[in-house]
């Protein structure tokens, strides 16, 4: 142990806060948690619909942008991430999806049995405090509060019934591990109208422990190696250089930052490091490669007047909703970004859903300069391929930690991804055309009925699609030597450093990624503690 710390955790996001919570359960373990951003003091962070203000505030976000590529219509796309205590869990849409049990069994097949659903299901059970109570892999007494929407909008209920009409199984808990096609209300990391970030759930309860030190405003530049052993981090705080040592360093900076720290430290593609004058500690082509993202499209329909929440989210209606929220912590301001979801198979031969459709009782104005709703009544469905095959890269541009990484998503380069998106968009149209949802619909407004052929729909996806802020894979875990981290998350070719965040997933979890980041960190803590 150096500087008195057993572990330095780099990044206080979804994974980093879980690690801090779990590792400091042992009073003899001393942990330093470093966060580049500041405290999570933005007044809109706890307010569920306040995400629209926080996720565009540069003081709380990493300004990641993709390179212009054909897959995104040659326009840079925001891959912003939270830069504050709580990381992206402080700015995200609060949809709580655990991924499919088969995702983790597939992960175990390329890593180790340590990552099977048996273990991850147990991790979820331990970390959750779910409104629906305990079940085989659902928890009722963990730190993370999960709830279901208390408002049941008729148009959302109609969408769920339309899913049933198309053959989907209605589930009270869409996260139940049976991986069949399903539809139901979407669980959220919200409790009594307040966001449950990784801080609320994990860091706040741990902060009183004397063995946990938290520093904010500290941006880690690189690791210092003695031979192959990482012994310290070099960081910058208010322009001043810091050197902080520990027995082991746990990188939890997220999919863009963890590979960047490794690359600046001399662990990464040899040609990249050499071009930037960085001495190579361990050449690894996989550091920053294998990046996957859920590039979806928000489809919208105009609905009958009064059938959506748009009127309650603008003008006088918004003022009334805000007053209601202030008085009761209820109403549309207390709701998450999506109220329901459908997980569907686009081909009969599939054994499990390959597409997620999230359903919201409002529609977004894509012409407004701030995030706001359309003037007329509308609904939106966010539609995406759950397990994209196209992979991209993340690479540092310089040795300067203040320079954000270069991101090349290479969307749609795998033909299978294009086919799945076409089927997904067409499925969403079938859902909206099915009774009883069809009775609410006036017309499709996005992309619009003029987009019909394969080429037109792919063009719509290129023009109107967006990354869902779920990117994974830049420090992939694997039992093969080429993987960045081994099945215990140790960085290959080095000692004393692990990666624990969304970057470790070699394939995307089938759903939103906050839950999987937390469950992976929970499981990682078992492995790290077991190794002591
Ligand atoms: C706008 C948005 C909406 C989303 N919506 C949802 C949703 O509804 N449901 C869902 O499940 N998922 C959602 N996600 C995705 C999910 O929140 C993330 O995948 C997950 O939080 C990532 O966890 P992580 O631990 O890998 O990284 P993060 O939570 O991003 O944490 C990384 C932390 O490391 C810090 N850091 C980075 N570099 C350094 C450095 N050099 N030095 C020190 N600290 C550093 C960062 O500031 C950050 O706090 C959303 C994400 C965003 C951004």
């Amino acid at each position: 142990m150096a500087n008195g710390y057993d572990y330095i955790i780099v990044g206080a996001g979804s994974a980093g806060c879980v690690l801090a919570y779990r590792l400091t359960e042992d009073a003899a373990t001393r942990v330093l948690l470093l966060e580049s951003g500041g405290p999570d003091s933005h007044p809109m962070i706890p307010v569920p619909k306040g995400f629209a203000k926080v996720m565009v505030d540069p003081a709380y976000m990493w300004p990641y942008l993709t390179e212009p590529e054909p897959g995104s219509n040659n326009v840079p796309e925001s891959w912003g991430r939270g830069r504050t205590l709580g990381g992206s869990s402080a700015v995200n849409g609060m949809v709580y999806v655990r991924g499919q049990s088969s995702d983790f069994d597939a992960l175990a097949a390329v890593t180790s049995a340590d990552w099977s659903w048996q273990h991850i299901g147990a991790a979820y059970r331990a970390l959750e405090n779910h409104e629906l109570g305990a079940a085989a892999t659902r928890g009722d007494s963990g730190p993370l509060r999960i709830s279901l929407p208390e408002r049941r909008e008729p148009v959302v209920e109609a969408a769920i019934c339309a899913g049933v009409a198309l053959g989907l199984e209605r589930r009270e808990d869409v996260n139940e591990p049976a991986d069949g096609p399903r539809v139901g209300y979407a669980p959220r990391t919200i409790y009594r109208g307040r966001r449950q970030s990784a801080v609320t759930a994990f860091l706040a309860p741990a902060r009183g422990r004397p063995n946990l030190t938290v520093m904010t405003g500290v941006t880690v530049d690189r690791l210092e190696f003695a031979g192959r052993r990482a012994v310290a981090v070099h960081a910058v705080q208010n322009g001043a250089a810091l050197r902080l040592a520990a027995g082991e360093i746990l990188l939890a900076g997220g999919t863009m930052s963890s590979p960047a720290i490794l690359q600046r430290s001399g662990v990464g593609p040899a040609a990249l490091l050499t071009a930037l004058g960085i001495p190579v500690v361990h050449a690894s082509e996989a550091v920053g490669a294998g990046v996957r993202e859920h590039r979806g499209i928000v489809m919208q329909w105009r609905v009958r007047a009064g059938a959506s929440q748009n009127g309650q989210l603008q003008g006088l209606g918004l003022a009334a909703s805000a007053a209601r929220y202030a008085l009761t912590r209820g109403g549309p301001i207390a709701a998450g970004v999506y109220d329901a979801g459908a997980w569907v198979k686009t081909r009969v031969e599939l054994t499990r859903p390959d597409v997620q459709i999230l359903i919201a009782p409002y529609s977004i104005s894509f012409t407004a300069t701030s995030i706001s709703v359309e003037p007329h009544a509308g609904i939106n469905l966010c539609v995406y391929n759950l397990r994209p095959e196209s992979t991209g890269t993340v690479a540092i541009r310089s040795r300067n930690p203040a320079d954000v990484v270069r991101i090349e998503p290479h969307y749609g380069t795998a033909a299978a991804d294009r086919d799945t998106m076409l089927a997904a968009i067409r499925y969403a149209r079938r859902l909206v055309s099915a009774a009883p949802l069809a009775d609410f619909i006036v017309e499709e407004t996005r992309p619009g009925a003029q987009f019909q052929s394969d080429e037109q729909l792919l063009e719509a996806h290129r023009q109107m699609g967006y990354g869902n802020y779920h990117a994974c894979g830049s420090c992939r875990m694997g039992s093969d030597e080429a993987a960045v981290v081994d099945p215990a998350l140790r960085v290959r070719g080095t000692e004393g450093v692990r990666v624990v965040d969304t970057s470790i997933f070699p394939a995307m979890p089938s759903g939103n990624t906050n839950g999987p980041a937390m469950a992976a960190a929970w499981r990682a803590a078992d492995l790290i503690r077991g190794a002591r």
Side-chain angles (χ1 to χ4, degrees):
M1 190 196 332
N3 268 13
Y5 297 114
D6 295 291
Y7 300 103
I8 290 178
I9 302 169
V10 178
S14 301
C17 290
V18 172
L19 278 178
Y21 174 89
R22 294 226 54 220
L23 295 176
T24 56
E25 283 173 335
D26 173 2
T29 302
R30 295 182 58 82
V31 172
L32 173 61
L33 176 63
L34 301 177
E35 169 54 42
S36 173
D40 54 341
S41 44
H42 193 299
M44 286 294 135
I45 287 178
V47 179
K49 282 285 186 337
F51 85 95
K53 300 279 181 220
V54 187
M55 69 174 282
V56 295
D57 187 334
Y60 288 82
M61 294 295 289
W62 290 87
Y64 300 124
L65 282 178
T66 64
E67 294 300 300
E69 288 186 346
S72 55
N73 204 29
N74 294 310
V75 175
E77 178 177 277
S78 170
W79 278 25
R81 289 293 185 278
R83 186 181 200 167
T84 179
L85 287 180
S88 299
S89 77
V91 306
N92 72 12
M94 296 152 288
V95 177
Y96 181 70
V97 178
R98 305 199 305 185
Q100 297 167 358
S101 54
S102 320
D103 292 334
F104 298 98
D105 289 335
L107 179 64
V110 295
T111 59
S112 122
D114 281 334
W115 293 94
S116 68
W117 174 249
Q118 183 196 347
H119 293 294
I120 295 296
Y124 276 126
R125 191 173 201 279
L127 69 82
E128 290 175 358
N129 184 340
H130 203 297
E131 171 185 299
L132 293 176
T137 63
R138 189 173 67 215
D140 66 351
S141 50
L144 182 66
R145 295 245 182 210
I146 316 288
S147 67
L148 291 166
E150 62 270 8
R151 283 169 65 88
R152 306 273 154 126
E153 292 288 343
V155 71
V156 175
E157 180 62 27
I160 292 172
C161 294
V164 173
L166 293 186
L168 304 179
E169 180 188 330
R170 182 177 184 142
R171 297 250 183 102
E172 185 184 35
D173 181 1
V174 294
N175 281 320
E176 275 174 13
D179 284 347
R182 69 197 84 149
V183 64
Y185 285 100
R188 309 98 34 100
T189 44
I190 296 174
Y191 180 63
R192 295 190 172 160
R194 308 296 269 181
R195 172 193 293 275
Q196 303 298 295
S197 72
V199 173
T200 328
F202 302 102
L203 189 57
R207 272 196 104 160
R209 297 175 186 163
N211 53 337
L212 175 62
T213 304
V214 181
M215 292 172 70
T216 54
V218 177
T219 301
V220 169
D221 172 5
R222 64 186 171 85
L223 306 169
E224 176 187 321
F225 286 99
R228 290 192 170 268
R229 170 163 282 278
V231 292
V233 299
H234 288 251
V236 186
Q237 187 181 37
N238 297 325
L242 291 179
R243 178 185 181 277
L244 298 156
E248 188 164 358
I249 293 151
L250 308 174
L251 298 181
T255 294
M256 269 63 81
S257 200
S258 289
I261 294 169
L262 287 176
Q263 290 169 359
R264 288 194 295 267
S265 309
V267 180
L272 172 73
L273 305 188
T274 306
L276 295 173
I278 299 170
V280 177
V281 173
H282 177 65
S284 171
E285 293 301 312
V287 176
V291 178
R292 299 176 201 233
E293 175 57 294
H294 286 143
R295 189 166 202 271
I297 180 168
V298 169
M299 298 177 69
Q300 301 204 131
W301 285 263
R302 187 175 184 135
V303 296
R304 290 194 321 244
S308 90
Q309 287 180 348
N310 284 4
Q312 299 166 63
L313 293 170
Q314 63 189 312
L316 288 176
L318 177 60
S321 298
R324 178 173 173 195
Y325 179 77
L327 289 171
T328 67
R329 295 263 165 92
I333 305 281
V337 176
Y338 285 97
D339 282 14
W343 287 263
V344 308
K345 290 198 303 183
T346 59
R347 288 177 286 131
V348 280
E349 67 272 22
L350 294 174
T351 55
R352 56 188 177 122
D354 59 338
V355 161
Q356 175 170 291
I357 300 176
L358 295 175
I359 301 157
Y362 60 86
S363 59
I364 302 161
S365 168
F366 285 91
T367 51
T369 48
S370 60
I371 301 178
S372 54
V373 294
E374 291 186 305
H376 56 258
I379 59 169
N380 90 75
L381 271 56
C382 174
V383 180
Y384 56 82
N385 172 12
L386 283 169
R387 290 181 294 281
E389 293 177 13
S390 308
T391 59
T393 57
V394 164
I396 51 172
R397 297 172 194 272
S398 76
R399 303 176 71 159
N400 182 353
D403 268 357
V404 290
V405 289
R406 178 185 173 90
I407 303 167
E408 296 181 12
H410 302 165
Y411 288 135
T413 46
D417 292 353
R418 300 195 295 273
D419 293 344
T420 304
M421 268 320 294
L422 286 171
I425 293 170
R426 291 189 168 121
Y427 190 100
R429 284 180 169 167
R430 284 214 305 284
L431 181 76
V432 171
S433 305
L437 182 55
D439 296 341
F440 287 79
I441 302 298
V442 177
E443 63 174 344
E444 180 181 317
T445 53
R446 194 174 197 267
Q450 68 275 28
F451 292 87
Q452 290 297 339
S453 69
D454 287 3
E455 194 35 57
Q456 286 169 334
L457 291 179
L458 290 172
E459 181 59 24
H461 184 237
R462 282 191 293 270
Q463 277 180 30
M464 303 176 203
Y466 78 114
N468 268 269
Y469 308 99
H470 295 168
C472 295
S474 56
C475 296
R476 91 173 158 86
M477 168 169 52
S479 49
D480 60 305
E481 286 300 317
V484 178
V485 298
D486 73 9
L489 303 176
R490 294 173 296 222
V491 176
R492 290 182 184 279
T494 72
E495 291 167 33
V497 56
R498 302 187 206 225
V499 181
V500 186
D501 57 30
T502 41
S503 70
I504 63 164
F505 291 115
M508 294 199 80
S510 302
N512 308 59
T513 43
N514 184 40
M518 290 175 169
W522 190 279
R523 181 69 188 135
D526 293 338
L527 303 177
I528 294 166
R529 295 203 301 206
R532 290 202 76 201

